[in-house]
Each structure stands twice: as C-alpha cells, then as structure tokens.
C-alpha cells in the first residue's frame, strides 16, 4: 500500500468548533478541521458518527448551532444550500439523489444551471441567446460524459440505470458545475471491486486534471488510505483523529472506535 | 356586545364539532393508507340520503316502493355474497376455525339484513334506528367494494393517482346516490328538541340563545370523536393502523394484513360519514350540497395536520368558530367598506386562516418538526 | 415499415435538440396542423365547432398550463378554475373599459398576465408547504376568487345578476364572428402556446422545474432557488390558464357568470392532465379530447338505443359513468394516454416485424 505524499499550503475551507444538535440529540460536538486547496480529504468513522451531518453543514443544508465555517477566506455561520453551490461547492449523496424522471443528459445539464442565465422570453422562443447557451453548455456536458465513459446511456432515463452507473451520473452532475470543492458522500458504497476501481480512477483524475479539491466520506478503509492525502476520524459526533493516513492508522482511539474496544 | 359574541362563538363551536367529525374521516384514511380521500363528502351525502329515504318521509308521505326495492337489493347482494364466500371457503379450500367464525358473522349479518328487509316489506317506512343500522351495513359493503374494486388495484401508485381515484369515487357516489334515491330535499327526523334554549340568564340580559338540537348533535359528535380517539390510541387494531400509516412495507413484514386494515379504516370512515350525514341532515335537510361539507373540513386538515386526531378535533373547533365570527362581525364591515354584493366570506375565510397559520407553522397544530435528510 | 429512425444521424447539437428529432414525427405533426387549419373548415358544422373543437382546443391549453405546474414542477393545484376566472374577468374589464384596445390578442394577453400575477401571489405558500397541503391551500385561491368575482360589483360592471357579456370581437381589424373564425383564432393561439410550452420545458427552465419535482432538496443543493423556480412555474402555468380562461369566456361562452369557473372546472382540467399523462404535452391534448368527448358520447348513447330518460336521471347517470371511467382508467393506465401513445409508437417502429 502506498500513501501519496503531497504537500499543500493554502487552506480552502476550515471548520471551527462546529456543534449541531437535533432537539436533544447531539449530532456533532465541537469539531474543527481544515481542507487544503487541491487535496483529497477523507472523513471516516463508524455508522452514526456524524459524517453526513458534517457535509450537510459544509454545504449549508444544516445550520450548526455553534461554530463557524471559513471558505475561501470568508467566515460565515449560516448560508443557504444554493449559496454554497454558487460559491463553487458541489456534492453527491449517500443515497443517490438523481432526478429520476429525467435522462442522463438532462441530469448532468442541471449541474450547469448556475451558468445558464437566459430569461423566460428567449427560452420561450428557443432561438438566439437561448440556443447558443444551450449548445455551449451541452459541449461541456458532453466532455464530462466522455470523461466518465457513459456515452451509451446519454438519453436513457436515470431511474432505470443500474446502481453503479447512477453513482457515476451523479458524479457527472456534480462535475458539470465545475466546482472548486467537491463533496462526495460514500461514492463507492454498495459497489463491487471493479466499479470501485473505476470510481477511484475518476476521483483521482478529477483531482489531478481539474485540480478540484475533494472531501469524501468512505467506509472502505483500503480505498480511503490509498487515495486520500489526509483523513479526519469522527466517532459519536466527536473528532478522534486527524492526519495523514499512516498517522491515523496507528492512532489508538481510531483503532478502538473501529474494533469496538470499550472507551 | 359580549352576549352576541358568545352566542356566535357557541354556534360556531357547535358547527365546528361537525367539521371535526368529517375531518376525522379524512384523517383516519390518510393515516392508514396515505390516501387523500376526496370522496368523504360524497360518502356523507350517500349515507344521509340512504337514512333519509329508508326512514321514509318525504314531506310526510311514506315511500314504500323505494324501500322495498332497496331491501330486496341488499338482501340479494348479501345472500349472493355469503353464498360465494361459503363456496370459496368450504368447497374450494376447506375452512379453519377463524374462517368459520368469519362465516358465522357474515351469516348473522345476512340474516339481520334479511330480517330488516322483511320487516320493511310489511311495515313501509322504517324506524330511524333501523334505517341507521341498515345504512351502517351498507357503508360497510361500500368500503368493501372500494377496497376490492379500486384500492387493491392501485397499491404503490403515487399519492396523486390515488387522490384522483377518490375523486372518481366521489363522482360515482354522487351520481349513484341520486340515481337510487332521487335528488329532492329530504328530511331526517331524529326527534331532537326544537325550542330554543336560554342559558346564563343571570349573567347576560336575556341570556344566551342556543339551539338545543345543535347541542345534542354536538354532544353525539363529540362522543364519537372521543370513541374514535380511544380506538386509535388504545386498541390493538388502532396500533396496527398506526403502524401501517408509518410504513406500509414494514407493517406488512411484521404480519399486519394491509387489505384488512384498509377495509377497517374505510368502514370506520364510512360510519363517521354516516354520523356526520345524520347530524347534518337532521339539522339542514338532506340535499346535494351536503357533499360540499367535505370542502369545509379541508381547512381543518391543513390547520390540524393530515395525520393528527387531536389536530382534527381542535382544528374543527377553531375553523367553526372562526368562520361564524368572521361572517357575523367581519363581513358586514367588508360589505360596507368595499360596496360588495353581499357577505359570504365564510366560504374562504377558514382557508385563509389556515393558510396564514401554515406559513408560520408548516407542520400544523400538532405535527412534529420533520428533519430532512439527504 | 415507414416509421424508422435508422439512418437519421445527427451531426450537430442543434439537430439533436430539435423538438421532433425523427423525420416521420415532424411530417406527421406538420400534416396535422395543416389539416387543422385548411381541411377542417371545409367540412365542420357549427355544432362540431362550438361543442367539440372549440372546447377541446381551449381546454387543451388550460391543461398544458396545469401540466406545467403539476406534471413538470410537481406542485398539485386545485385552483385552475379560479385562475381561468382571473384571466376571463381581467380580459373583460380591459375590453370594456379601454374600447380603443379592441384587439382580442392584447385582451387575452392581459388576461394571461393578470392570472400570472395572481398565480405568483398564491404560489408563495409553496415554499413552506408541500404535497396535499399545498393542494388544499390552492383551494383557498379557488374559493377566494369565486367569491371575489361574485361579490365585487366593479369587476362585473355593476350588472344586477353578476353575469357579463361581450360582443363585437376583433383581431387587428378582423371580425371574429362565426364559429369558424373563432376556431381559427383559437387554433392559432393554441399552436403558438404549445410551441412556447415545449420550448420552455426542453430548456434550462424546464429542467429546473423537473429537478424540483423529482427531488427538491437535491435541486436546492446543486444551486436551484426553490422559491424562484416554483414561482416561475406558477406564473407560466397561470399565464396559460388565464389566456385559456379569457378564450373560454370570450369565444366559447360569450356571456358568463362566476359559476363557469367554479371548482368543478378545476377538477375537470386536473382530470385531463392526469388522464392525458403527467409531464406530457401531447398528453394534455389527449386528455382534453377524452374529457370533452366522453360526456357527449354518454349523452348520445341512450338515444342510439332508443331509450328515453329524464334529464335529471341522465345527468346522475353521467356522473356515475364518468366517475367509474376515471377509476377504471387510472387502474388500467396510471401513466395516462401519453403512455399508450408512446407504446403505440414503439409498436409501429417494429411493425411489421415485431421479433
């Protein structure tokens, strides 16, 4: 097993002392970490550790009661999900959240929504600026379709695609937004080895070719240790480890959490 | 000022109890099957028409023929049904003890219906209790037919498709009821007291004017509401109903028979519709417009929540009172201010009230806050 | 044999994004439109115009409007009748009070714009409430608008009965008098409206509606603004419905009262959308045809068998059969006539060699 050793200087996003609770249930307690520009950052932890809640806080879907998030130098305590999208944060979901009534092409085209601005009038006529805009964005989307090797399902309704392909289409939709920070919630859950290898390759390629910063949640330890630069470990809503894969692997608290040793 | 205000308030609350009753019919079905049942109003009309025509008075004239035809029809259906059921259970498969008990109950029901029919043939107009009992049996049959012919074939369809189907049922029932029973205005005579009652004469000059008929009706409705609430919260069937409401598939996997549960809720909703039709019909006469009281109960639902029994009760009272108060006190001001051609704001005031409320509390009166997940 | 797409390769994105990418479809639709404009006026009688073609076309347009909201954006509305009434009365008041503007196109557009404004207003709750709660909330608009047009005397020009009438209709100097004239005007407007609707649903605005419909949370997270998207759908939908309402009042009824746009109208249009197929424009036409033709058939049926019935009984029976047909239809094909249409096309593609 090789660990990639790269160094990063610029911090893209930092999370400071985030706490989140639903009614009396604490989902996250006093969590701080940062994501450097250009790195692949993983969040791991047992089920119910608060990993998805953490992503939901970062892209503004949940509003933490305490703490703040600094993104690209701007500190904020709250924002709306579409504001996060406008600032270049895109994501995929643990349980696939594609638009089931639409084709693969249309799904990925929705990822371009923030760049499509022609108003009702031109849209109603579908000529001039509206058509030009549609074709320009279509070209970008076709490049993504080529990149993800899903040309053959371009016009198929996504609801009927197999699970692995749906995950790929969802990644395509997130990529279509050309994000600076890409959040992936269990991109490889439920996949077989081959599909996992494909997905790993896509994630690494995205990171290399487009320089996209990636923050991912994953259960498969082998994959996480292979592809990520740094790892945050959560357990019961608290941070119990943070560092490069080798450090985390030898961290006693992490081993205990995963092997179920009593605290 | 306080006297008229209280009178209006009491009148509104008494009407509100009826809204609660109709809303309860909606809630029962929505909770147990996720179906937004638009046919509830048509069921109220159908039940009221049936009672009115079976108990037999149209402007004092007794109607024999219609009773006879219906009695014969019910008898025929019941006998045919029992025959078919017995054939299926005994001849085709052989029967266990539970099925034998079912069969005995069905035979008893058939005998009862037959007895009623025979009685009716001899006597003409039926006493009110008998008409009510027969109508209850008919509502049960109706629930069975709806489950068998409609719902069973639409399992796992989207909510809007089921909603449309109940709209179709509503159209069918409206047409069926009026084809069978005619479309004049009929009376139901419950023998409720008619003379106005004056309460608290010591407190207010002249006392508060209250219609005792309404009081009795409200008491009946309130009693029913309590019984249903207990049924839902405390009994085994009630628990099964709530389980089905939470998750169809999960309920099935622990052995709750979905079809039986649906049959039960639709029957109970039919009985609730019967009660509402009875009270409403006794108060205002039975006519087509009764099917529109379902529309009156809808704001109750958005106020109280589609799945909350206490919500339906409290919501009904609020809507009833708000509606009457607005009509008596707000409408004249509006009419004068804007030169309107009459008031009638009660038709939409309740909706607006519920809507404004909903903007501030989307989960309704008693709903829990929903945590959204992705 | 004739319906084949093999060999029709697309070399540009423009060609790939056409409304009907298959040549045969293009020819078929063109033929239908030409026939509707040229062939129909050669044989249609006034009865066919006023009882079948005109109602069918106008209600198709209303169904397209409602389908945008329910089928494409996923927001169930029971207030269609109310929005049609807004279109009708707004058009009426403009026609009445600004006689210099005696041009039906302008009058209808005004009706549509006013309906869109009211639609936006009543669409605001859709941000907070969803599903059937929203459906019931839209009933509020229906009842409020019913009441408004029945009670506010200015809107009905102080006529004692509350019913209003129009006469002398013109479009750019063309007098629209005969049923044939009306039919041609309506046909022209409906063709344009359908084209506009199709353009909207295949562009980024249509995708935003469908995204909200399919999964509103995900849509918001990838950057769609829920309120703006929903309100656009309410506005566009109400615009179409408002224009349809104005056409219904001016070109179908001529004289009307608020009852013409009551809640039964809302249900009627919703039936068209569901039976035709949610999220399908061709379905809106098929649904409208079904709902317009069925009562006419039911009315004729007893006569064909020589049975005479009282009108009251006939209307009750009609209710029954109509309700039963709806239920039957939903059970047989919950995805609507549009699905049957697609299946038929699929069969045709393989015909005569299905294996």
């Amino acid at each position: 097993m090789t660990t990639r050793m790269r160094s990063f200087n610029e911090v893209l996003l930092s999370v400071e002392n985030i706490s989140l609770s639903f009614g009396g249930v604490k989902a996250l307690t006093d969590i701080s970490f940062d994501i450097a520009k250009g790195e692949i950052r993983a969040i791991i932890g047992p089920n119910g550790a608060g990993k998805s809640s953490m992503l939901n806080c970062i892209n503004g879907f949940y509003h933490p009661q305490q703490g703040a998030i600094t993104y690209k130098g701007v500190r904020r305590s709250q924002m709306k999900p579409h504001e996060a999208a406008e600032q270049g944060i895109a994501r995929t979901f643990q349980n696939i959240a594609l638009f089931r009534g639409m084709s693969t092409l249309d799904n990925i085209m929705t990822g371009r929504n923030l760049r499509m601005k022609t108003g009702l009038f031109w849209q109603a006529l579908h000529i001039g600026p509206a058509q030009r805009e549609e074709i320009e964005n279509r070209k970008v989307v076709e490049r993504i379709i080529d990149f993800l090797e899903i040309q053959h399902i371009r016009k198929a309704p996504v609801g009927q695609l197999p699970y692995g392909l749906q995950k790929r289409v969802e990644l395509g939709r997130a990529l279509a937004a050309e994000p600076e920070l890409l959040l992936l919630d269990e991109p490889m859950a439920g996949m077989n080895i081959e599909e996992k290898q494909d997905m790993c390759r896509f994630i690494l390629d995205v990171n290399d070719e487009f320089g996209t910063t990636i923050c991912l949640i994953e259960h498969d330890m082998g994959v996480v240790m292979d592809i990520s630069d740094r790892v945050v470990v959560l357990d019961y809503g608290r941070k119990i480890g943070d560092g490069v894969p080798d450090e985390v692997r030898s961290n006693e608290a992490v081993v205990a959490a995963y092997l179920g040793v009593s605290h | 000022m306080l006297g008229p205000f209280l009178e209006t308030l009491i009148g509104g609350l008494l009407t509100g109890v009826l809204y609660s009753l109709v809303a309860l019919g909606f809630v029962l079905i929505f909770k147990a099957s996720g179906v937004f049942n638009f046919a509830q109003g048509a069921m109220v009309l159908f039940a009221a028409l049936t009672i009115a025509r079976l108990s037999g008075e149209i402007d004092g004239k007794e109607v024999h023929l219609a009773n006879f035809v219906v009695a014969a029809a019910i008898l025929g259906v019941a006998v045919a049904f029992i025959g078919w059921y017995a054939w299926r259970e005994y001849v085709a498969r052989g029967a266990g003890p539970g099925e034998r008990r079912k069969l005995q109950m069905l035979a008893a029901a058939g005998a009862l219906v037959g007895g009623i029919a025979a009685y009716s043939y001899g006597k003409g107009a039926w006493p009110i209790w008998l008409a009510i009992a027969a109508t209850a049996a008919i509502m049960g049959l109706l629930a069975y037919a709806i489950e068998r012919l409609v719902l069973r074939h639409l399992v796992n369809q989207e909510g809007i498709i089921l909603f449309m189907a109940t709209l179709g049922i509503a159209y069918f029932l409206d047409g069926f009821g009026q084809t069978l029973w005619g479309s004049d205005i009929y009376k139901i005579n419950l023998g409720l007291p008619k003379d106005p009652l004056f309460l608290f004469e010591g407190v207010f000059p002249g006392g508060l004017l209250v219609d005792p008929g309404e009081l009795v009706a409200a008491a009946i409705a309130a009693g029913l509401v309590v019984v249903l609430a207990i049924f839902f919260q405390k009994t085994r069937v009630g628990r099964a109903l709530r389980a089905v409401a939470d998750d169809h598939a999960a309920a099935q996997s622990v052995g709750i028979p979905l079809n039986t549960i649906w049959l039960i809720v639709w029957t109970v909703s039919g009985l609730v519709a019967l009660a509402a039709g009875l009270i409403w019909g006794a108060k205002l006469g039975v006519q087509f417009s009764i099917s529109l009281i379902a529309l009156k109960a809808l704001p109750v639902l958005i106020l109280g929540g589609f799945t909350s029994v206490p919500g339906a009760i409290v919501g009904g009272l609020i809507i009833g009172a708000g509606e009457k108060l607005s009509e008596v006190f707000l409408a004249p001001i509006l009419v004068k201010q804007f030169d309107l051609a009459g008031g009638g704001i009660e038709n939409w005031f309740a909706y607006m009230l519920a809507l404004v409320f909903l903007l501030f509390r989307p989960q309704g009166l008693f709903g829990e806050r929903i945590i959204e997940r992705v | 044999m004739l319906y084949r797409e093999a060999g029709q390769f697309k070399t540009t994105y423009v060609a790939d994004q056409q409304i009907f990418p298959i040549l045969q479809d293009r020819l078929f639709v063109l033929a239908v439109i030409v026939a509707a404009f040229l062939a129909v006026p050669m044989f249609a009688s006034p009865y066919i115009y006023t009882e079948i073609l005109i109602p069918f076309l106008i209600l198709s347009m209303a169904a397209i409007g409602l389908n945008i909201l329910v089928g494409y954006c996923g927001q169930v509305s029971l207030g269609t009748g109310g929005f049609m009434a807004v279109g009708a009365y707004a058009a009426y008041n403009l026609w009445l009070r600004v006689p210099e503007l005696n041009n039906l196109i302008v009058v209808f557009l005004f009706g549509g714009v006013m309906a869109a404004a009211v639609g936006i207003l009543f669409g605001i709750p859709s941000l907070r409430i969803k599903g059937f709660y929203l459906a019931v909330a839209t009933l509020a608009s229906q009842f409020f608008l019913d009441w408004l047009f029945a009670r506010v005397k200015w809107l009905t020009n102080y006529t004692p009965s509350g019913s209003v009438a129009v006469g002398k209709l013109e479009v750019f100097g063309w007098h629209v008098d005969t049923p044939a004239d009306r039919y041609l005007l309506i046909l022209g407007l409906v063709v344009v409206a359908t084209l506009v609707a199709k353009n909207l649903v295949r562009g980024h605005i249509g995708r935003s509606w469908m995204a909200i419909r399919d999964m509103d949370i995900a849509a918001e997270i990838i950057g769609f603004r829920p309120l703006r998207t929903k309100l656009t759908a309410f506005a566009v939908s109400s615009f179409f419905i408002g224009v349809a309402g104005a056409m219904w009042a001016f070109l179908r009824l001529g004289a009307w009262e608020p009852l013409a746009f009551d809640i039964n109208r809302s249900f009627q249009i919703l039936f068209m959308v569901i039976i035709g197929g949610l999220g399908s424009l061709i379905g809106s036409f098929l649904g409208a045809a079904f709902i317009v033709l069925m009562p006419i058939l039911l009315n004729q049926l007893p006569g064909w068998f020589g049975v005479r019935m009282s009108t009251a009984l006939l209307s009750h029976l009609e209710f029954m059969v109509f309700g039963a047909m709806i239920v039957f239809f939903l059970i047989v094909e919950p995805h609507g006539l549009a699905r049957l249409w697609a299946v038929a096309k699929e069969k045709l593609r393989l015909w005569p060699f299905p294996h």
Side-chain angles (χ1 to χ4, degrees):
Chain A
M1 233 181 248
T2 55
T3 307
R4 308 192 311 161
M5 291 300 281
R6 302 189 288 174
S7 62
F8 305 95
N9 308 319
E10 198 185 331
V11 171
L12 180 66
L13 177 132
S14 72
V15 173
E16 296 154 46
N17 309 104
I18 290 281
S19 293
L20 173 76
S21 62
F22 299 106
V25 185
K26 285 200 162 178
L28 297 171
T29 313
D30 199 25
I31 301 218
S32 306
F33 67 94
D34 60 45
I35 301 173
K37 198 173 167 96
E39 77 170 331
I40 297 180
R41 186 74 144 124
I43 303 178
I44 62 170
N47 281 329
K51 305 181 298 289
S52 288
S53 295
M54 194 61 241
L55 284 200
N56 285 337
C57 288
I58 292 178
N59 80 332
F61 186 62
Y62 287 165
H63 302 301
Q65 281 85 6
Q66 279 159 28
I69 294 174
T70 309
Y71 175 65
K72 286 200 279 186
V74 182
R75 194 181 150 91
R76 60 180 163 87
S77 58
Q78 274 203 3
M79 69 171 156
K80 295 238 167 85
H82 64 79
E83 290 169 341
E86 280 157 24
Q87 290 173 28
I89 302 179
R91 73 172 285 182
T92 66
F93 302 85
Q94 185 179 353
N95 305 311
I96 299 172
L98 285 170
F99 306 124
R100 296 180 60 86
M102 299 157 75
S103 67
T104 300
L105 179 64
D106 279 341
N107 262 283
I108 302 181
M109 285 293 279
T110 59
R112 303 291 299 167
N113 76 84
L114 290 167
R115 287 156 213 272
M116 302 189 70
K117 301 210 182 306
T118 49
L120 263 181
F121 176 75
W122 288 112
Q123 282 292 315
L125 299 178
H126 205 268
I127 51 168
Q131 201 175 29
R132 271 201 302 280
E133 185 186 67
E134 184 86 8
I135 286 167
E136 273 162 27
N137 285 288
R138 173 81 186 266
K139 284 177 185 161
V140 177
V141 166
E142 288 291 343
R143 275 204 296 280
I144 290 167
I145 288 178
D146 286 345
F147 172 74
L148 294 174
E149 297 156 20
I150 46 178
Q151 297 91 336
H152 59 293
I153 53 164
R154 192 187 277 120
K155 300 242 163 125
V158 290
Q160 296 165 10
L161 296 177
Y163 183 80
L165 281 180
Q166 290 197 11
K167 281 265 182 196
R168 228 188 268 186
V169 175
E170 203 185 16
L171 177 63
R173 186 179 68 187
L175 289 178
E178 297 176 68
E180 280 181 70
L181 175 59
L182 178 60
L183 310 174
L184 304 174
D185 196 344
E186 301 200 13
M188 280 159 263
M191 287 185 169
N192 61 31
I193 301 256
E194 242 171 273
E195 288 171 326
K196 276 185 187 176
Q197 283 172 346
D198 281 344
M199 190 52 93
C200 279
R201 184 161 52 84
F202 291 134
I203 292 172
L204 290 171
D205 282 352
V206 167
N207 183 250
D208 284 345
E209 287 182 28
F210 309 125
T212 309
T213 311
I214 292 172
C215 174
L216 64 92
I217 294 175
E218 188 47 58
H219 270 300
D220 187 324
M221 278 305 124
V223 168
V224 169
M225 297 303 173
D226 272 357
I227 69 172
S228 46
D229 296 294
R230 288 192 297 160
V231 179
V232 176
V233 192
L234 303 184
D235 189 24
Y236 290 108
R238 291 171 190 278
K239 187 170 97 168
I240 58 169
D242 188 355
V244 298
D246 284 335
E247 282 168 21
V248 168
R249 218 193 310 261
S250 53
N251 181 329
E252 273 175 33
V254 175
V255 175
Y258 268 88
L259 297 180
V261 176
S262 57
H263 307 278
Chain B
M1 191 60 205
L2 192 60
F5 177 80
L6 281 178
E7 269 177 26
T8 318
L9 182 66
I10 292 172
L13 288 175
L14 294 180
T15 320
V17 178
L18 272 170
Y19 292 161
S20 299
L21 202 55
V22 179
L24 212 55
F26 274 108
V27 167
L28 282 174
I29 289 182
F30 192 82
K31 249 182 117 97
S33 57
V35 176
F36 182 67
N37 176 25
F38 213 84
Q40 191 67 27
M43 280 159 70
V44 173
L45 172 68
F46 185 74
L49 269 175
T50 311
I51 297 174
R53 292 306 299 270
L54 288 180
S55 64
E57 283 181 50
I58 308 173
D59 304 326
K61 275 200 315 263
E62 291 184 354
V63 182
H64 297 265
L65 185 66
N67 288 357
F68 174 67
V69 170
V70 168
I74 295 171
L75 190 64
V77 169
V79 169
F81 178 71
I82 290 167
W84 166 77
Y85 195 84
W87 181 82
R88 203 187 69 171
E89 295 304 330
Y90 281 101
V91 181
R93 270 200 298 190
E99 280 152 349
R100 208 167 287 137
R101 205 182 60 203
K102 259 193 215 162
L103 194 69
Q104 282 160 359
M105 281 168 63
L106 267 170
L112 180 71
V113 171
I116 292 168
Y119 178 87
S120 129
Y121 185 56
K123 294 275 282 198
W126 301 6
I128 187 79
W129 61 268
L130 201 55
I132 293 173
T135 308
I138 293 176
M139 295 315 279
L141 274 179
L142 185 69
Y144 181 80
I146 289 175
E147 197 278 322
R148 212 52 219 239
L149 300 176
V150 182
L151 297 177
R152 182 168 289 197
H153 303 282
L154 288 170
V155 177
N156 292 333
Q157 289 296 344
E158 281 172 62
I160 180 144
I161 302 288
L162 286 159
F163 165 68
M164 282 283 115
T166 65
L167 252 178
I169 295 173
Y171 273 78
F172 180 84
L173 269 185
D174 280 345
F176 182 59
Q178 294 184 82
T179 307
L180 197 63
W181 302 119
S183 48
D184 295 318
I185 300 176
Y186 307 108
K187 281 191 203 122
I188 293 176
N189 190 0
L190 277 180
L192 295 178
K194 286 268 179 339
D195 297 326
L197 215 61
F198 293 93
L199 301 176
F200 303 113
E201 279 182 275
V203 188
F204 302 103
L208 294 178
L209 180 71
V210 178
D211 180 353
E214 280 194 343
L215 217 52
V216 174
I220 296 174
L224 262 171
V225 166
V226 171
V227 168
L228 282 170
I230 292 173
F231 165 73
F232 221 84
Q233 297 298 331
K234 303 284 181 207
T235 65
R236 215 164 63 94
V237 177
R239 264 202 303 282
L241 289 181
R242 279 182 291 148
V244 172
D246 263 4
D247 189 332
H248 287 184
Q252 266 180 313
S253 71
V254 296
I256 295 171
L258 210 54
N259 291 333
T260 313
I261 291 294
W262 284 3
L263 181 57
I264 292 173
V265 277
W266 279 79
T267 307
V268 173
S269 292
L271 297 181
V272 170
L274 185 156
L278 186 67
I279 295 168
W280 205 270
K283 205 167 142 184
L284 298 171
V286 178
Q287 53 186 314
F288 182 69
S289 65
I290 277 193
S291 71
L292 299 179
I293 69 162
L295 297 175
K296 292 262 186 185
L298 289 177
V300 177
L301 288 180
I302 44 177
L303 197 60
F306 279 36
T307 53
S308 162
V309 172
I313 297 167
V314 177
L317 295 178
I318 294 176
I319 294 290
E323 195 179 277
K324 283 281 176 304
L325 289 174
S326 73
E327 189 59 44
V328 172
F329 295 102
L330 185 63
I333 301 173
L334 284 180
V335 169
K336 208 165 159 195
Q337 210 69 34
F338 297 106
D339 186 26
L340 303 177
I345 65 170
E346 59 179 0
N347 284 334
W348 55 265
F349 188 81
Y351 277 94
M352 288 298 173
L353 196 72
L355 202 56
V356 170
F357 177 81
L358 216 54
L359 283 181
F360 294 101
R361 209 181 141 78
Q363 65 270 37
L365 271 175
F366 294 95
E368 283 170 21
R369 221 179 124 214
I370 302 156
I371 298 174
E372 290 186 288
R373 294 172 190 281
V374 286
Chain C
M1 209 50 180
L2 294 172
Y3 190 71
R4 284 278 189 283
E5 58 184 88
Q8 298 181 27
F9 298 111
K10 307 292 181 297
T11 49
T12 63
Y13 291 132
V14 179
D16 194 40
Q17 286 167 359
Q18 289 178 91
I19 297 178
F20 300 107
I22 301 173
L23 177 70
Q24 287 89 335
D25 281 346
R26 277 202 295 282
L27 293 176
F28 176 73
V29 170
L30 209 64
V32 168
I33 293 175
V34 169
F37 273 109
L38 299 179
V40 168
M42 285 195 270
F43 68 84
S45 66
Y47 173 82
I48 292 197
Y49 281 129
T50 49
E51 294 304 318
I52 296 176
L53 289 174
I54 289 179
F56 159 66
L57 284 173
I58 298 177
L59 295 178
S60 295
M61 182 148 162
I64 287 174
L66 186 62
N67 215 335
I68 285 175
L69 191 61
V70 183
Y72 285 95
C73 196
Q75 314 294 307
V76 182
S77 163
L78 302 174
T80 317
F83 296 128
M84 283 178 82
V86 172
Y89 283 98
Y92 169 74
N93 278 293
L94 185 74
W95 176 84
L96 179 80
R97 289 167 210 283
V98 193
E100 306 82 53
L101 261 181
N102 191 1
N103 183 335
L104 282 184
I105 303 285
V106 178
V107 166
F108 289 168
L109 285 181
F110 180 73
V113 169
M114 291 309 283
V118 176
I120 289 174
L121 195 66
F122 280 103
I124 291 173
S126 69
L127 182 67
R128 297 297 299 269
I129 52 185
K130 293 172 183 173
F132 286 121
Y133 285 84
L134 180 66
V136 174
T138 57
L139 270 181
S141 67
Q142 175 72 47
F143 289 121
F144 177 74
L145 293 169
D146 275 355
W147 174 86
L148 191 73
F149 295 119
R151 304 291 187 197
V152 179
K153 296 177 196 163
W154 185 84
L155 291 171
T156 48
N157 198 28
Y158 298 92
T159 50
S161 63
S163 98
V164 298
V166 292
K168 264 198 63 180
L169 306 173
E170 276 180 38
V171 178
F172 300 113
W174 170 38
H175 291 275
V176 186
D177 295 325
T178 66
D181 290 345
R182 289 163 189 235
Y183 163 76
L184 287 175
L185 174 62
I186 294 168
L187 182 64
L189 288 173
V190 170
V191 168
V192 171
T194 310
L195 190 66
V196 166
K198 183 69 199 175
N199 282 339
L200 286 176
V201 299
R202 70 191 171 129
H204 74 89
I205 291 178
R207 282 194 295 269
S208 72
W209 293 336
M210 291 186 271
I212 289 283
R213 171 196 69 188
D214 285 347
M215 192 161 279
D216 54 351
I217 296 170
E220 190 181 354
I221 286 173
I222 67 171
F224 291 112
R225 291 162 183 256
L227 185 61
R228 188 199 279 174
T229 306
K230 287 178 188 172
L231 289 188
T232 316
F234 266 98
V236 172
S237 158
S238 308
F239 177 83
F240 281 110
I241 291 169
V243 172
M247 292 201 299
W248 188 258
F250 277 61
L251 300 175
R252 167 78 173 93
L253 301 174
W256 72 94
E257 47 193 35
L259 217 57
F261 302 104
D262 67 356
I263 187 166
N264 287 317
R265 180 73 59 206
S266 301
F267 288 148
Q268 187 191 31
I269 312 282
L270 194 58
F271 276 136
M272 291 176 183
V273 170
I274 305 261
I275 286 189
L278 285 167
S280 157
L281 294 181
I282 181 86
S284 304
F285 284 97
L286 297 174
F290 185 80
I291 298 288
V292 167
L293 288 176
M294 202 168 73
I296 295 176
L297 273 177
L298 288 178
N299 255 313
Q300 301 288 332
L301 215 55
W304 292 344
F305 292 103
V307 182
R308 296 182 64 106
M309 289 186 195
S310 71
T311 39
L313 184 61
L314 200 63
S315 93
H316 296 152
L317 280 178
E318 196 184 307
F319 259 74
M320 268 174 78
V321 177
F322 187 78
M325 290 284 289
I326 298 284
V327 171
F328 175 76
F329 201 84
L330 289 174
I331 290 172
V332 174
E333 185 49 79
H335 298 287
L337 290 163
R339 172 64 63 88
L340 294 181
W341 179 260
V343 170
K345 259 169 70 166
E346 196 59 32
K347 288 248 165 72
L348 191 61
R349 248 163 78 161
L350 301 175
W351 184 85
F353 306 112
H355 295 294

